[in-house]
Amino acid sequence: MVIFRRLLGDVLRSARMQRGMTLRELSAEARVSLGYISEIERGQKEASSELLASLCEAMDLPLSDVLRDVADAVAIEEIALGVVATPITAGRPAGDVVASAA
């Protein structure tokens, strides 16, 4: 899914920049090619779960935070594209059930 790849790259780039890291620093810390990280950030390459874990560890960032930010960005895109009519409630605990008063 191209949109997911692009949004994942945007979130990773934003996280790296918020931490004041250059691509070169992240590359050295995560032991991943600078070019490959650059392609991931531009949404041109897929990132494996192992690679994502390595990048997150290098930035001292929980993978769950990255995935949550990407999920929020996907939801915004879906709303903008009219795929989803109403906003999705973020942060609802898994298994949370809303009971009706019928």
Side-chain angles (χ1 to χ4, degrees):
M1 181 184 217
V2 175
I3 192 168
F4 181 83
R5 209 170 51 214
R6 179 179 54 84
L7 294 174
L8 175 61
D10 291 347
V11 168
L12 289 171
R13 182 182 317 100
S14 176
R16 178 180 56 77
M17 293 174 74
Q18 285 176 355
R19 281 157 180 70
M21 294 180 82
T22 65
L23 276 171
R24 190 171 308 281
E25 291 168 333
L26 181 57
S27 172
E29 185 70 27
R31 298 177 188 192
V32 176
S33 134
L34 186 143
Y36 197 71
I37 295 172
S38 177
E39 289 178 328
I40 289 168
E41 284 189 358
R42 288 180 285 150
Q44 295 176 336
K45 293 283 184 183
E46 295 284 340
S48 69
S49 57
E50 293 85 1
L51 178 62
L52 282 176
S54 178
L55 294 174
C56 288
E57 184 177 329
M59 291 188 284
D60 194 29
L61 178 68
L63 177 59
S64 60
D65 287 355
V66 169
L67 295 177
R68 187 176 307 111
D69 290 348
V70 173
D72 290 346
V74 169
I76 290 167
E77 289 278 335
E78 287 176 332
I79 292 166
L81 294 172
V83 175
V84 177
T86 57
I88 299 168
T89 305
R92 187 180 334 182
D96 190 14
V97 177
V98 178
S100 66

